[in-house]
DNA sequence: CGGACGTTTGAATGGACTCAACGCACGTGG
DNA sequence: CCACGTGCGTTGAGTCCATTCAAACGTCCG
């Protein structure tokens, strides 16, 4: 490819995401009106510089340490963001949904890996062209800023949860989180359909797969959930909410 | 130019200086030139909408759940960002330094609390006026986006560290982190001057104060550090780096 | 010299981990 | 239709690490 003029030590971009579902929040919005006003022309131009990619279940979107060329905006599906430590431990930092951004990079390389959990469509936005576009479209850039702040907020919450509560409480939090995704929760029957296997949930909550099982058993014994099958969990939303808040 | 007395945005306070220390990075810099190019007019305008506040050691900058009116840019000193859970557990999410932003909010209220650890100067930027300014100054907004991404990256790193390693390794990471702050590390003698007490370090690393002590003892026994006093730690930087990477 | 506070150290408890076996659902082939 | 294999989930036993409660130690300041 073309040699980058001078790369210097200038690193790169961020991962950003907003989870449209659950009442996320703008970080610096002066008024609700303002925040809604991303002109459709901006979006058209965003589409102009981007390409659409479709991922099969399990397919990797990008890999940790790989040269970062694009940021990604998720149009549908679920993306799992994971990080591998030098000791070989895998951490899942987030699950991303429609409307979320991903592709956080440092020094021109992706910091984490991203893979689709199910059939997933993303918008691939070349880094350079996106940067140029953001500088000419302040409202669009503001949208990105909002998403970044939302993602930061999410990661902070995760940090507090993981380092502050025991296995059962983390599992309860996770189940309530699942509740916000329409495709995986039936409000009528209160049944959650888990979109990740035990190993993924464990790596997300900072536990082992066995402990996730035991935590589910514990919650079931207290009567907060009932396991219809490994992936189908009937929950008591209100009781669960009270439980996580101790 | 009107002589705002103290608001001399000139000395180190002027540019939104990217925290050079520990792996900070711009997100979408197309070229090194671009990233440096926050026009000084932007900074003047930023100063115009802001006021300077000076905090005494221990003084609170803002409190969790309080109405959020301002974002803050730190000009000097150290700010401790903490979050209190409903169960009464306190988590320290970050220590912020010169050039860092703080004041993350949700639904118009601060998500966390912020307090100064030592005499600290901040620029208080009213939310509404800042929002307006960012929309008219794309380079400035991009600077904010860079900082948000950097902060996200940092929080992710913290998450991985806290949920993946034992007390001694977390402590070692923290000591190396201290190394990046000139005022608290002497490269000649390899002595780190801790800027937080045991309790704060514990809440930052997801440990108890006693465990922090024991972790220090452990590192000392291996010969990676030597405790001159409670706050003065002589370290073996290279050995420590090898240790944290297992 | 004596509090007061922060730090260190000790002993006992508890929670999560590892290792291992077992159960269960699904698919394949006989 | 049953025998078998495989992948995932669950359950059990033992170990290790961090926590809690408690006491001793220092250091700074009265």
């Amino acid at each position: 490819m073309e040699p980058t003029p001078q790369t210097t030590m200038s690193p790169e971009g961020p991962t950003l995401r907003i989870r449209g579902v659950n009442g996320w929040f703008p970080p610096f919005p002066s008024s609700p009106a303002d925040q809604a006003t991303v002109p459709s022309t901006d979006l058209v131009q965003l589409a102009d510089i981007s390409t659409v990619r479709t991922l099969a279940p399990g397919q990797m979107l990008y890999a940790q340490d790989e040269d970062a060329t694009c940021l990604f905006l998720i149009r549908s599906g679920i993306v799992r963001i994971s990080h591998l430590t030098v000791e070989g431990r895998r951490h899942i930092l987030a699950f991303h949904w429609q409307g979320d951004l991903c592709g956080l990079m440092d020094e021109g390389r992706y910091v984490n890996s991203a893979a689709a959990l199910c059939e997933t469509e993303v918008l691939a936005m070349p880094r350079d062209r996106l940067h140029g576009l953001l500088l000419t479209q302040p409202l669009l850039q503001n949208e990105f800023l909002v998403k970044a702040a939302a993602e930061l907020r999410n990661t902070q919450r995760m940090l507090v949860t993981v380092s502050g509560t025991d296995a059962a409480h983390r599992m309860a939090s996770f189940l309530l989180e699942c509740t916000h995704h329409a495709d995986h929760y039936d409000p009528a029957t209160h049944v959650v359909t888990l979109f990740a296997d035990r190993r993924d949930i464990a790596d997300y909550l900072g536990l082992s797969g066995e402990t996730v099982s035991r935590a589910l058993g514990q919650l079931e014994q207290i009567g907060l959930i009932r396991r219809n099958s490994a992936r189908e969990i009937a929950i008591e939303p209100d009781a669960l909410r009270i439980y996580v808040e101790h």
Side-chain angles (χ1 to χ4, degrees), chain A residues 29-59:
Chain A
S30 49
S31 79
D34 278 356
Q35 104 197 44
T37 337
V38 174
S40 53
T41 58
D42 283 10
L43 299 174
V44 169
Q45 294 189 41
L46 191 55
D48 277 351
I49 67 166
S50 311
T51 62
V52 176
R53 275 181 63 183
T54 303
L55 303 167
Q59 191 179 346

Side-chain angles (χ1 to χ4, degrees), chain A residues 150-173:
Chain A
E151 184 60 19
L152 174 59
R153 175 92 187 72
N154 262 5
T155 307
Q156 286 185 352
R157 171 179 310 138
M158 203 61 205
L159 182 54
V160 169
T161 300
V162 162
S163 87
T165 70
D166 66 10
H169 281 81
R170 291 184 220 179
M171 194 61 222
S173 293

Side-chain angles (χ1 to χ4, degrees), chain A residues 1-185:
Chain A
M1 289 300 277
E2 76 238 316
T4 29
Q6 22 178 321
T7 26
T8 69
M9 53 216 105
S10 70
E12 302 314 326
T15 273
L16 318 171
R17 134 227 199 164
I18 195 174
R19 179 184 293 195
V21 206
N22 187 17
W24 291 115
F25 46 92
F28 321 120
S30 49
S31 79
D34 278 356
Q35 104 197 44
T37 337
V38 174
S40 53
T41 58
D42 283 10
L43 299 174
V44 169
Q45 294 189 41
L46 191 55
D48 277 351
I49 67 166
S50 311
T51 62
V52 176
R53 275 181 63 183
T54 303
L55 303 167
Q59 191 179 346
M60 186 153 284
L61 178 56
Y62 54 84
Q64 188 172 332
D65 294 327
E66 188 179 274
D67 273 355
T69 58
C70 289
L71 255 72
F72 302 93
L73 176 62
I74 300 169
R75 295 181 55 180
S76 68
I78 311 175
V79 173
R80 179 192 65 208
I81 307 296
S82 60
H83 185 89
L84 212 62
T85 66
V86 282
E87 309 105 40
R89 190 178 268 271
R90 188 187 70 153
H91 292 263
I92 293 181
L93 294 163
F95 295 107
H96 283 169
W97 306 74
Q98 184 170 38
D100 293 342
L101 287 167
C102 61
L104 185 62
M105 46 189 98
D106 189 4
E107 315 247 330
R109 292 169 183 278
Y110 291 118
V111 168
N112 307 308
S113 299
L117 285 190
C118 57
E119 173 136 337
T120 296
E121 253 194 9
V122 303
L123 209 61
M125 309 172 286
R127 167 160 67 96
D128 302 344
R129 306 183 63 183
L130 177 60
H131 183 228
L133 183 60
L134 291 181
L135 289 184
T136 59
Q137 313 292 351
L139 287 172
L140 183 62
Q141 186 170 213
N142 192 64
E143 202 63 34
F144 274 61
L145 184 50
V146 167
K147 286 174 189 289
E151 184 60 19
L152 174 59
R153 175 92 187 72
N154 262 5
T155 307
Q156 286 185 352
R157 171 179 310 138
M158 203 61 205
L159 182 54
V160 169
T161 300
V162 162
S163 87
T165 70
D166 66 10
H169 281 81
R170 291 184 220 179
M171 194 61 222
S173 293
F174 180 68
L175 288 172
L176 286 175
E177 204 180 314
C178 293
T179 273
H180 300 124
H181 301 288
D183 288 355
H184 298 82
Y185 178 64

